Short mmCIF file of all heavy atoms in Angstrom, two decimals:
data_model
loop_
_atom_site.label_atom_id
_atom_site.label_comp_id
_atom_site.label_asym_id
_atom_site.label_seq_id
_atom_site.Cartn_x
_atom_site.Cartn_y
_atom_site.Cartn_z
N MET O 1 18.98 3.48 -14.74
CA MET O 1 17.57 3.11 -14.92
C MET O 1 17.22 2.11 -13.94
O MET O 1 17.95 1.12 -13.63
CB MET O 1 17.50 2.65 -16.36
CG MET O 1 16.12 2.16 -16.75
SD MET O 1 16.11 1.90 -18.51
CE MET O 1 14.43 1.41 -18.72
N SER O 2 16.00 2.11 -13.52
CA SER O 2 15.48 1.18 -12.49
C SER O 2 15.10 -0.21 -13.19
O SER O 2 14.56 -0.23 -14.26
CB SER O 2 14.25 1.76 -11.83
OG SER O 2 13.65 0.80 -10.97
N MET O 3 15.29 -1.26 -12.49
CA MET O 3 15.01 -2.63 -12.95
C MET O 3 13.58 -3.00 -12.44
O MET O 3 13.05 -4.06 -12.68
CB MET O 3 16.04 -3.65 -12.51
CG MET O 3 17.35 -3.38 -13.13
SD MET O 3 18.57 -4.55 -12.56
CE MET O 3 17.99 -6.04 -13.27
N VAL O 4 12.98 -2.07 -11.73
CA VAL O 4 11.63 -2.38 -11.13
C VAL O 4 10.54 -1.92 -12.07
O VAL O 4 10.54 -0.81 -12.61
CB VAL O 4 11.46 -1.58 -9.80
CG1 VAL O 4 10.15 -1.83 -9.17
CG2 VAL O 4 12.60 -1.95 -8.80
N ARG O 5 9.66 -2.84 -12.34
CA ARG O 5 8.51 -2.50 -13.16
C ARG O 5 7.42 -1.77 -12.51
O ARG O 5 7.31 -1.84 -11.25
CB ARG O 5 7.89 -3.83 -13.71
CG ARG O 5 8.81 -4.62 -14.61
CD ARG O 5 8.25 -5.83 -15.28
NE ARG O 5 6.93 -6.25 -14.74
CZ ARG O 5 6.67 -7.34 -14.14
NH1 ARG O 5 7.59 -8.29 -14.09
NH2 ARG O 5 5.41 -7.62 -13.69
N ASP O 6 6.76 -0.95 -13.17
CA ASP O 6 5.73 -0.08 -12.66
C ASP O 6 4.58 -0.92 -11.88
O ASP O 6 4.12 -0.56 -10.91
CB ASP O 6 5.00 0.75 -13.78
CG ASP O 6 5.96 1.85 -14.18
OD1 ASP O 6 6.99 2.16 -13.60
OD2 ASP O 6 5.59 2.43 -15.32
N GLU O 7 4.36 -2.08 -12.47
CA GLU O 7 3.31 -2.95 -11.91
C GLU O 7 3.76 -3.43 -10.45
O GLU O 7 2.95 -3.47 -9.59
CB GLU O 7 3.03 -4.18 -12.81
CG GLU O 7 2.43 -3.87 -14.09
CD GLU O 7 3.43 -3.43 -15.12
OE1 GLU O 7 4.72 -3.61 -14.95
OE2 GLU O 7 3.11 -2.94 -16.21
N GLU O 8 5.02 -3.66 -10.30
CA GLU O 8 5.59 -4.04 -9.09
C GLU O 8 5.51 -2.94 -8.03
O GLU O 8 5.16 -3.14 -6.87
CB GLU O 8 7.04 -4.53 -9.14
CG GLU O 8 7.22 -5.81 -10.01
CD GLU O 8 8.72 -6.01 -10.10
OE1 GLU O 8 9.27 -5.31 -10.95
OE2 GLU O 8 9.22 -7.02 -9.53
N VAL O 9 5.72 -1.74 -8.48
CA VAL O 9 5.60 -0.60 -7.68
C VAL O 9 4.21 -0.37 -7.16
O VAL O 9 3.93 -0.11 -5.96
CB VAL O 9 6.16 0.72 -8.37
CG1 VAL O 9 5.98 2.00 -7.51
CG2 VAL O 9 7.63 0.53 -8.72
N VAL O 10 3.26 -0.47 -8.08
CA VAL O 10 1.86 -0.36 -7.68
C VAL O 10 1.55 -1.34 -6.59
O VAL O 10 0.85 -0.98 -5.61
CB VAL O 10 0.90 -0.50 -8.92
CG1 VAL O 10 -0.57 -0.50 -8.48
CG2 VAL O 10 1.21 0.73 -9.80
N LEU O 11 1.80 -2.58 -6.86
CA LEU O 11 1.44 -3.61 -5.87
C LEU O 11 2.10 -3.44 -4.51
O LEU O 11 1.56 -3.52 -3.49
CB LEU O 11 1.89 -5.00 -6.33
CG LEU O 11 1.06 -5.52 -7.60
CD1 LEU O 11 1.68 -6.82 -8.11
CD2 LEU O 11 -0.38 -5.70 -7.20
N GLU O 12 3.37 -2.98 -4.56
CA GLU O 12 4.12 -2.69 -3.31
C GLU O 12 3.44 -1.51 -2.66
O GLU O 12 3.37 -1.49 -1.44
CB GLU O 12 5.57 -2.48 -3.59
CG GLU O 12 6.45 -2.32 -2.34
CD GLU O 12 6.69 -3.56 -1.55
OE1 GLU O 12 6.35 -4.63 -2.03
OE2 GLU O 12 7.13 -3.49 -0.43
N ALA O 13 3.19 -0.45 -3.35
CA ALA O 13 2.62 0.70 -2.75
C ALA O 13 1.33 0.40 -2.12
O ALA O 13 0.99 0.89 -0.97
CB ALA O 13 2.48 1.82 -3.79
N LYS O 14 0.41 -0.37 -2.74
CA LYS O 14 -0.85 -0.71 -2.17
C LYS O 14 -0.71 -1.53 -0.95
O LYS O 14 -1.39 -1.33 0.13
CB LYS O 14 -1.65 -1.55 -3.26
CG LYS O 14 -2.18 -0.64 -4.32
CD LYS O 14 -3.01 -1.48 -5.28
CE LYS O 14 -3.58 -0.66 -6.45
NZ LYS O 14 -4.49 -1.43 -7.35
N ALA O 15 0.28 -2.44 -0.84
CA ALA O 15 0.52 -3.24 0.31
C ALA O 15 1.02 -2.31 1.47
O ALA O 15 0.63 -2.54 2.57
CB ALA O 15 1.59 -4.32 -0.02
N LEU O 16 1.94 -1.39 1.10
CA LEU O 16 2.39 -0.56 2.17
C LEU O 16 1.26 0.31 2.82
O LEU O 16 1.22 0.53 3.98
CB LEU O 16 3.54 0.39 1.58
CG LEU O 16 4.82 -0.19 1.36
CD1 LEU O 16 5.74 0.81 0.54
CD2 LEU O 16 5.52 -0.54 2.64
N LEU O 17 0.40 0.88 1.84
CA LEU O 17 -0.67 1.72 2.34
C LEU O 17 -1.64 0.91 3.18
O LEU O 17 -2.20 1.35 4.32
CB LEU O 17 -1.32 2.37 1.16
CG LEU O 17 -2.44 3.38 1.48
CD1 LEU O 17 -2.04 4.39 2.58
CD2 LEU O 17 -3.10 4.01 0.33
N ARG O 18 -2.01 -0.31 2.72
CA ARG O 18 -2.90 -1.27 3.37
C ARG O 18 -2.41 -1.50 4.78
O ARG O 18 -3.17 -1.37 5.77
CB ARG O 18 -3.11 -2.47 2.55
CG ARG O 18 -4.19 -3.42 3.18
CD ARG O 18 -4.41 -4.58 2.36
NE ARG O 18 -4.91 -4.20 0.98
CZ ARG O 18 -4.18 -4.31 -0.11
NH1 ARG O 18 -2.99 -4.72 -0.16
NH2 ARG O 18 -4.81 -3.99 -1.27
N GLU O 19 -1.12 -1.82 4.91
CA GLU O 19 -0.55 -2.08 6.18
C GLU O 19 -0.60 -0.86 7.07
O GLU O 19 -0.92 -0.97 8.28
CB GLU O 19 0.87 -2.57 6.01
CG GLU O 19 1.64 -2.88 7.26
CD GLU O 19 3.04 -3.27 7.10
OE1 GLU O 19 3.43 -3.70 5.86
OE2 GLU O 19 3.80 -3.18 7.99
N THR O 20 -0.35 0.29 6.58
CA THR O 20 -0.28 1.47 7.32
C THR O 20 -1.75 1.85 7.82
O THR O 20 -1.84 2.13 9.06
CB THR O 20 0.13 2.70 6.47
OG1 THR O 20 1.54 2.46 6.07
CG2 THR O 20 0.10 4.06 7.19
N ILE O 21 -2.68 1.69 7.04
CA ILE O 21 -4.04 1.95 7.51
C ILE O 21 -4.49 0.89 8.48
O ILE O 21 -5.09 1.26 9.58
CB ILE O 21 -5.03 1.96 6.25
CG1 ILE O 21 -4.74 3.16 5.38
CG2 ILE O 21 -6.44 1.95 6.71
CD1 ILE O 21 -5.41 3.15 4.02
N GLU O 22 -4.20 -0.34 8.24
CA GLU O 22 -4.72 -1.43 9.20
C GLU O 22 -3.96 -1.13 10.55
O GLU O 22 -4.62 -1.41 11.58
CB GLU O 22 -4.26 -2.72 8.66
CG GLU O 22 -5.21 -3.18 7.55
CD GLU O 22 -4.73 -4.50 6.81
OE1 GLU O 22 -3.64 -5.04 7.05
OE2 GLU O 22 -5.63 -4.96 6.00
N ARG O 23 -2.70 -0.80 10.59
CA ARG O 23 -2.09 -0.55 11.83
C ARG O 23 -2.57 0.66 12.51
O ARG O 23 -2.48 0.87 13.85
CB ARG O 23 -0.54 -0.48 11.65
CG ARG O 23 0.17 -1.60 11.39
CD ARG O 23 1.64 -1.46 11.29
NE ARG O 23 2.33 -2.67 11.06
CZ ARG O 23 3.66 -2.74 11.04
NH1 ARG O 23 4.36 -1.66 11.10
NH2 ARG O 23 4.25 -3.86 10.81
N SER O 24 -3.08 1.62 11.78
CA SER O 24 -3.52 2.90 12.39
C SER O 24 -4.78 2.84 13.22
O SER O 24 -5.01 3.76 14.00
CB SER O 24 -3.69 3.95 11.23
OG SER O 24 -4.93 3.71 10.52
N GLY O 25 -5.58 1.88 12.92
CA GLY O 25 -6.86 1.70 13.67
C GLY O 25 -7.87 2.57 13.14
O GLY O 25 -8.88 2.97 13.84
N TRP O 26 -7.72 3.14 11.90
CA TRP O 26 -8.74 3.87 11.23
C TRP O 26 -10.13 3.17 11.27
O TRP O 26 -10.09 1.88 11.08
CB TRP O 26 -8.40 4.33 9.85
CG TRP O 26 -7.24 5.23 9.78
CD1 TRP O 26 -6.50 5.77 10.74
CD2 TRP O 26 -6.87 5.76 8.52
NE1 TRP O 26 -5.60 6.65 10.21
CE2 TRP O 26 -5.72 6.69 8.92
CE3 TRP O 26 -7.18 5.70 7.17
CZ2 TRP O 26 -5.02 7.44 7.91
CZ3 TRP O 26 -6.43 6.47 6.25
CH2 TRP O 26 -5.46 7.36 6.62
N TYR O 27 -11.13 3.88 11.28
CA TYR O 27 -12.54 3.37 11.12
C TYR O 27 -12.90 2.39 12.35
O TYR O 27 -13.47 1.29 12.06
CB TYR O 27 -12.80 2.74 9.73
CG TYR O 27 -12.19 3.59 8.63
CD1 TYR O 27 -11.27 3.05 7.74
CD2 TYR O 27 -12.68 4.92 8.40
CE1 TYR O 27 -10.78 3.83 6.70
CE2 TYR O 27 -12.15 5.64 7.40
CZ TYR O 27 -11.22 5.05 6.50
OH TYR O 27 -10.74 5.80 5.45
N PRO O 28 -12.62 2.74 13.57
CA PRO O 28 -12.88 1.85 14.54
C PRO O 28 -14.31 1.46 14.86
O PRO O 28 -14.59 0.45 15.40
CB PRO O 28 -12.19 2.46 15.78
CG PRO O 28 -12.34 3.93 15.50
CD PRO O 28 -12.12 4.10 14.01
N VAL O 29 -15.26 2.32 14.49
CA VAL O 29 -16.64 2.04 14.81
C VAL O 29 -17.31 1.20 13.71
O VAL O 29 -18.44 0.78 13.87
CB VAL O 29 -17.40 3.38 14.92
CG1 VAL O 29 -16.84 4.20 16.10
CG2 VAL O 29 -17.30 4.22 13.68
N MET O 30 -16.68 0.89 12.59
CA MET O 30 -17.24 0.09 11.56
C MET O 30 -17.07 -1.43 12.00
O MET O 30 -16.17 -1.73 12.63
CB MET O 30 -16.56 0.34 10.25
CG MET O 30 -16.75 1.68 9.68
SD MET O 30 -15.95 1.72 8.05
CE MET O 30 -16.60 3.30 7.43
N ASP O 31 -18.08 -2.23 11.49
CA ASP O 31 -17.87 -3.53 11.69
C ASP O 31 -16.68 -4.11 10.68
O ASP O 31 -16.38 -3.35 9.85
CB ASP O 31 -19.10 -4.42 11.49
CG ASP O 31 -19.59 -4.44 10.02
OD1 ASP O 31 -18.81 -4.67 9.08
OD2 ASP O 31 -20.85 -4.40 9.75
N GLU O 32 -16.12 -5.22 10.96
CA GLU O 32 -14.96 -5.68 10.30
C GLU O 32 -15.16 -5.72 8.77
O GLU O 32 -14.27 -5.20 8.00
CB GLU O 32 -14.52 -7.04 10.72
CG GLU O 32 -13.08 -7.43 10.30
CD GLU O 32 -12.04 -6.48 10.59
OE1 GLU O 32 -12.09 -5.75 11.69
OE2 GLU O 32 -11.02 -6.44 9.82
N ARG O 33 -16.20 -6.10 8.22
CA ARG O 33 -16.54 -6.19 6.75
C ARG O 33 -16.58 -4.89 6.17
O ARG O 33 -15.91 -4.52 5.22
CB ARG O 33 -17.90 -6.95 6.53
CG ARG O 33 -18.13 -7.11 5.03
CD ARG O 33 -19.43 -7.84 4.75
NE ARG O 33 -20.57 -6.94 5.27
CZ ARG O 33 -21.02 -5.93 4.67
NH1 ARG O 33 -20.44 -5.44 3.52
NH2 ARG O 33 -22.03 -5.27 5.12
N GLU O 34 -17.26 -3.89 6.85
CA GLU O 34 -17.25 -2.53 6.36
C GLU O 34 -15.94 -1.90 6.36
O GLU O 34 -15.48 -1.20 5.47
CB GLU O 34 -18.27 -1.67 7.19
CG GLU O 34 -19.77 -2.08 6.87
CD GLU O 34 -20.64 -1.24 7.91
OE1 GLU O 34 -20.23 -1.03 9.03
OE2 GLU O 34 -21.66 -0.78 7.39
N ARG O 35 -15.24 -2.03 7.44
CA ARG O 35 -13.87 -1.56 7.58
C ARG O 35 -12.94 -2.02 6.49
O ARG O 35 -12.18 -1.28 5.88
CB ARG O 35 -13.25 -1.92 9.05
CG ARG O 35 -11.93 -1.26 9.30
CD ARG O 35 -11.49 -1.61 10.68
NE ARG O 35 -10.22 -0.94 10.99
CZ ARG O 35 -9.05 -1.48 10.74
NH1 ARG O 35 -8.90 -2.75 10.46
NH2 ARG O 35 -7.95 -0.78 10.94
N ARG O 36 -12.94 -3.35 6.19
CA ARG O 36 -12.12 -3.91 5.13
C ARG O 36 -12.51 -3.25 3.73
O ARG O 36 -11.56 -2.96 3.06
CB ARG O 36 -12.31 -5.36 5.08
CG ARG O 36 -11.74 -6.11 6.26
CD ARG O 36 -10.42 -6.81 5.79
NE ARG O 36 -9.65 -7.21 6.91
CZ ARG O 36 -8.41 -6.82 7.14
NH1 ARG O 36 -7.83 -6.11 6.24
NH2 ARG O 36 -7.87 -7.10 8.22
N GLN O 37 -13.77 -3.12 3.54
CA GLN O 37 -14.12 -2.46 2.25
C GLN O 37 -13.59 -1.03 2.14
O GLN O 37 -13.17 -0.61 1.07
CB GLN O 37 -15.67 -2.61 2.15
CG GLN O 37 -16.23 -3.88 1.81
CD GLN O 37 -17.70 -3.94 1.86
OE1 GLN O 37 -18.43 -3.07 2.45
NE2 GLN O 37 -18.25 -4.90 1.13
N ARG O 38 -13.75 -0.28 3.29
CA ARG O 38 -13.36 1.07 3.31
C ARG O 38 -11.82 1.18 3.02
O ARG O 38 -11.33 2.03 2.38
CB ARG O 38 -13.72 1.69 4.59
CG ARG O 38 -13.37 3.16 4.76
CD ARG O 38 -14.07 4.01 3.63
NE ARG O 38 -13.73 5.37 3.71
CZ ARG O 38 -14.37 6.34 4.23
NH1 ARG O 38 -15.54 6.04 4.85
NH2 ARG O 38 -13.96 7.62 4.26
N ILE O 39 -11.11 0.25 3.64
CA ILE O 39 -9.73 0.26 3.63
C ILE O 39 -9.26 -0.02 2.12
O ILE O 39 -8.39 0.64 1.52
CB ILE O 39 -8.99 -0.78 4.53
CG1 ILE O 39 -9.06 -0.22 5.95
CG2 ILE O 39 -7.57 -1.00 4.16
CD1 ILE O 39 -8.75 -1.25 7.02
N GLU O 40 -9.87 -0.99 1.50
CA GLU O 40 -9.59 -1.32 0.13
C GLU O 40 -9.98 -0.17 -0.81
O GLU O 40 -9.19 0.18 -1.68
CB GLU O 40 -10.34 -2.64 -0.36
CG GLU O 40 -9.77 -3.88 0.27
CD GLU O 40 -8.29 -3.99 0.11
OE1 GLU O 40 -7.81 -3.81 -1.06
OE2 GLU O 40 -7.61 -4.23 1.05
N THR O 41 -11.00 0.55 -0.54
CA THR O 41 -11.40 1.78 -1.28
C THR O 41 -10.29 2.79 -1.20
O THR O 41 -9.83 3.39 -2.15
CB THR O 41 -12.71 2.32 -0.83
OG1 THR O 41 -13.77 1.38 -1.09
CG2 THR O 41 -13.05 3.57 -1.62
N ASP O 42 -9.82 3.00 0.07
CA ASP O 42 -8.80 3.99 0.35
C ASP O 42 -7.46 3.59 -0.42
O ASP O 42 -6.80 4.48 -1.02
CB ASP O 42 -8.53 4.16 1.79
CG ASP O 42 -9.55 4.88 2.52
OD1 ASP O 42 -10.47 5.51 1.85
OD2 ASP O 42 -9.57 5.02 3.74
N VAL O 43 -7.18 2.33 -0.30
CA VAL O 43 -5.94 1.84 -1.00
C VAL O 43 -5.97 2.09 -2.46
O VAL O 43 -5.07 2.61 -3.13
CB VAL O 43 -5.74 0.34 -0.67
CG1 VAL O 43 -4.67 -0.29 -1.60
CG2 VAL O 43 -5.35 0.19 0.80
N GLU O 44 -7.17 1.82 -3.09
CA GLU O 44 -7.32 1.99 -4.56
C GLU O 44 -7.21 3.45 -4.93
O GLU O 44 -6.67 3.80 -6.02
CB GLU O 44 -8.57 1.40 -5.03
CG GLU O 44 -8.61 -0.16 -5.10
CD GLU O 44 -7.56 -0.69 -6.00
OE1 GLU O 44 -7.22 -0.20 -7.08
OE2 GLU O 44 -6.83 -1.70 -5.46
N LEU O 45 -7.70 4.35 -4.04
CA LEU O 45 -7.68 5.78 -4.38
C LEU O 45 -6.37 6.42 -4.11
O LEU O 45 -5.99 7.44 -4.77
CB LEU O 45 -8.86 6.44 -3.54
CG LEU O 45 -10.24 6.13 -3.89
CD1 LEU O 45 -11.28 6.69 -2.98
CD2 LEU O 45 -10.52 6.69 -5.35
N HIS O 46 -5.64 6.00 -3.07
CA HIS O 46 -4.43 6.68 -2.57
C HIS O 46 -3.16 5.96 -2.62
O HIS O 46 -2.18 6.44 -2.06
CB HIS O 46 -4.82 7.15 -1.11
CG HIS O 46 -5.93 7.95 -0.97
ND1 HIS O 46 -6.26 9.15 -1.65
CD2 HIS O 46 -7.27 7.65 -0.37
CE1 HIS O 46 -7.40 9.61 -1.32
NE2 HIS O 46 -8.09 8.71 -0.57
N TRP O 47 -3.08 4.77 -3.25
CA TRP O 47 -1.82 4.08 -3.35
C TRP O 47 -0.64 4.85 -3.84
O TRP O 47 0.53 4.72 -3.44
CB TRP O 47 -1.93 2.85 -4.17
CG TRP O 47 -2.21 3.06 -5.68
CD1 TRP O 47 -3.50 3.11 -6.17
CD2 TRP O 47 -1.22 3.36 -6.65
NE1 TRP O 47 -3.28 3.46 -7.54
CE2 TRP O 47 -1.98 3.54 -7.82
CE3 TRP O 47 0.10 3.43 -6.62
CZ2 TRP O 47 -1.31 3.88 -9.00
CZ3 TRP O 47 0.85 3.74 -7.84
CH2 TRP O 47 0.03 3.93 -8.96
N HIS O 48 -0.94 5.83 -4.77
CA HIS O 48 0.12 6.60 -5.34
C HIS O 48 0.93 7.50 -4.33
O HIS O 48 2.12 7.83 -4.52
CB HIS O 48 -0.46 7.63 -6.39
CG HIS O 48 -1.44 8.55 -5.83
ND1 HIS O 48 -2.75 8.22 -5.52
CD2 HIS O 48 -1.24 9.85 -5.43
CE1 HIS O 48 -3.31 9.31 -5.03
NE2 HIS O 48 -2.47 10.26 -5.00
N LEU O 49 0.27 7.63 -3.13
CA LEU O 49 1.05 8.39 -2.09
C LEU O 49 2.21 7.62 -1.50
O LEU O 49 3.15 8.21 -0.92
CB LEU O 49 0.14 8.71 -0.98
CG LEU O 49 -0.99 9.66 -1.35
CD1 LEU O 49 -2.02 9.71 -0.22
CD2 LEU O 49 -0.57 11.01 -1.70
N MET O 50 2.28 6.25 -1.81
CA MET O 50 3.31 5.42 -1.30
C MET O 50 4.24 4.96 -2.37
O MET O 50 5.13 4.12 -2.13
CB MET O 50 2.70 4.22 -0.52
CG MET O 50 1.76 4.49 0.59
SD MET O 50 2.60 5.32 1.92
CE MET O 50 3.24 4.03 2.85
N ALA O 51 4.05 5.50 -3.59
CA ALA O 51 4.86 5.00 -4.79
C ALA O 51 6.28 5.11 -4.62
O ALA O 51 6.99 4.27 -4.96
CB ALA O 51 4.24 5.66 -6.01
N SER O 52 6.73 6.34 -4.13
CA SER O 52 8.19 6.54 -4.02
C SER O 52 8.79 5.66 -3.02
O SER O 52 9.87 5.09 -3.20
CB SER O 52 8.39 7.96 -3.61
OG SER O 52 8.04 9.02 -4.63
N ASP O 53 8.08 5.45 -1.82
CA ASP O 53 8.62 4.53 -0.82
C ASP O 53 8.65 3.17 -1.40
O ASP O 53 9.64 2.46 -1.13
CB ASP O 53 7.72 4.60 0.37
CG ASP O 53 7.92 5.92 1.14
OD1 ASP O 53 8.91 6.56 1.00
OD2 ASP O 53 6.93 6.20 1.86
N ALA O 54 7.66 2.74 -2.08
CA ALA O 54 7.58 1.45 -2.64
C ALA O 54 8.71 1.19 -3.67
O ALA O 54 9.41 0.10 -3.63
CB ALA O 54 6.24 1.16 -3.38
N ARG O 55 8.91 2.17 -4.52
CA ARG O 55 10.13 1.93 -5.52
C ARG O 55 11.40 1.85 -4.85
O ARG O 55 12.21 0.95 -5.11
CB ARG O 55 10.10 3.12 -6.52
CG ARG O 55 11.12 2.92 -7.61
CD ARG O 55 11.02 3.95 -8.67
NE ARG O 55 9.86 3.87 -9.50
CZ ARG O 55 9.60 2.94 -10.46
NH1 ARG O 55 10.54 2.06 -10.70
NH2 ARG O 55 8.59 2.93 -11.12
N ARG O 56 11.68 2.69 -3.81
CA ARG O 56 12.90 2.61 -3.07
C ARG O 56 13.09 1.25 -2.38
O ARG O 56 14.18 0.73 -2.37
CB ARG O 56 12.93 3.66 -1.98
CG ARG O 56 13.40 5.12 -2.56
CD ARG O 56 13.83 6.06 -1.45
NE ARG O 56 12.62 6.39 -0.62
CZ ARG O 56 11.82 7.39 -0.84
NH1 ARG O 56 11.89 7.96 -2.05
NH2 ARG O 56 10.78 7.61 -0.11
N ARG O 57 11.90 0.73 -1.87
CA ARG O 57 12.09 -0.45 -1.11
C ARG O 57 12.33 -1.67 -2.08
O ARG O 57 13.24 -2.51 -1.84
CB ARG O 57 10.63 -0.75 -0.37
CG ARG O 57 10.68 -2.12 0.36
CD ARG O 57 9.39 -2.35 0.96
NE ARG O 57 9.26 -1.60 2.25
CZ ARG O 57 8.43 -1.93 3.18
NH1 ARG O 57 7.46 -2.77 2.99
NH2 ARG O 57 8.43 -1.28 4.33
N LEU O 58 11.67 -1.62 -3.20
CA LEU O 58 11.96 -2.64 -4.24
C LEU O 58 13.38 -2.62 -4.82
O LEU O 58 14.00 -3.56 -5.01
CB LEU O 58 10.85 -2.50 -5.38
CG LEU O 58 9.47 -2.88 -4.98
CD1 LEU O 58 8.47 -2.46 -6.01
CD2 LEU O 58 9.41 -4.38 -4.75
N GLU O 59 13.81 -1.35 -5.02
CA GLU O 59 15.19 -1.17 -5.56
C GLU O 59 16.24 -1.69 -4.55
O GLU O 59 17.24 -2.20 -4.87
CB GLU O 59 15.39 0.21 -6.01
CG GLU O 59 14.62 0.57 -7.31
CD GLU O 59 14.75 2.04 -7.68
OE1 GLU O 59 15.15 2.87 -6.84
OE2 GLU O 59 14.30 2.38 -8.80
N ALA O 60 15.92 -1.37 -3.34
CA ALA O 60 16.87 -1.92 -2.25
C ALA O 60 16.85 -3.37 -2.12
O ALA O 60 17.94 -4.02 -2.00
CB ALA O 60 16.44 -1.31 -0.86
N ARG O 61 15.74 -4.10 -2.37
CA ARG O 61 15.71 -5.51 -2.35
C ARG O 61 16.47 -6.01 -3.45
O ARG O 61 17.27 -6.98 -3.39
CB ARG O 61 14.26 -5.98 -2.54
CG ARG O 61 13.52 -6.01 -1.24
CD ARG O 61 12.15 -6.66 -1.48
NE ARG O 61 11.23 -6.14 -0.50
CZ ARG O 61 9.98 -5.99 -0.81
NH1 ARG O 61 9.40 -6.47 -1.92
NH2 ARG O 61 9.15 -5.50 0.11
N ILE O 62 16.44 -5.47 -4.69
CA ILE O 62 17.18 -5.93 -5.84
C ILE O 62 18.66 -5.75 -5.57
O ILE O 62 19.44 -6.70 -5.91
CB ILE O 62 16.80 -5.17 -7.07
CG1 ILE O 62 15.35 -5.53 -7.47
CG2 ILE O 62 17.70 -5.34 -8.21
CD1 ILE O 62 14.79 -4.74 -8.60
N SER O 63 19.02 -4.65 -5.01
CA SER O 63 20.55 -4.44 -4.69
C SER O 63 21.06 -5.10 -3.48
O SER O 63 22.19 -5.11 -3.26
CB SER O 63 20.84 -2.95 -4.72
OG SER O 63 20.16 -2.34 -3.57
N GLY O 64 20.10 -5.77 -2.67
CA GLY O 64 20.49 -6.47 -1.54
C GLY O 64 20.62 -5.65 -0.27
O GLY O 64 21.19 -6.11 0.65
N ILE O 65 20.19 -4.48 -0.32
CA ILE O 65 20.25 -3.56 0.78
C ILE O 65 18.83 -3.65 1.51
O ILE O 65 17.83 -3.75 0.95
CB ILE O 65 20.40 -2.03 0.42
CG1 ILE O 65 21.69 -2.02 -0.34
CG2 ILE O 65 20.36 -1.19 1.59
CD1 ILE O 65 21.85 -0.63 -1.03
N ARG O 66 18.89 -3.67 2.87
CA ARG O 66 17.69 -3.78 3.65
C ARG O 66 17.42 -2.45 4.33
O ARG O 66 17.93 -1.62 4.84
CB ARG O 66 17.73 -4.82 4.69
CG ARG O 66 17.61 -6.13 3.95
CD ARG O 66 16.66 -7.07 4.77
NE ARG O 66 16.00 -7.95 3.70
CZ ARG O 66 14.86 -8.29 3.79
NH1 ARG O 66 13.99 -7.93 4.79
NH2 ARG O 66 14.40 -9.15 2.92
#
């Protein structure tokens, strides 16, 4: 059984997705404020796509594996 709480997984998944989108250069024609809003909307809608990766990352931190 995992010692990672679901809330932690959601936060980590959102952070991973946000970082991925920001690095990708998506929405280059938008001004910075609009781009940030769009990214946050995408993060809220699609964070679940990173949930498995987020859980693995958190479990690895707990067990001391990087």
Side-chain angles (χ1 to χ4, degrees):
M1 182 172 177
S2 174
M3 296 179 64
V4 178
R5 295 186 347 239
D6 290 343
E7 296 83 10
E8 293 174 289
V9 173
V10 171
L11 291 174
E12 185 74 11
K14 287 180 178 183
L16 285 170
L17 182 56
R18 186 177 296 107
E19 180 181 341
T20 300
I21 293 171
E22 288 173 351
R23 284 185 179 182
S24 73
W26 287 7
Y27 315 122
V29 298
M30 293 181 168
D31 69 41
E32 190 58 29
R33 186 183 60 76
E34 289 176 319
R35 183 173 184 268
R36 289 252 164 241
Q37 288 175 336
R38 182 62 185 262
I39 290 170
E40 288 308 312
T41 298
D42 286 351
V43 167
E44 288 302 316
L45 291 173
H46 304 294
W47 64 266
H48 62 279
L49 298 172
M50 302 298 272
S52 295
D53 291 338
R55 183 169 298 279
R56 277 193 297 275
R57 181 181 275 196
L58 291 167
E59 288 172 347
R61 278 188 209 148
I62 289 172
S63 65
I65 301 170
R66 286 222 154 215

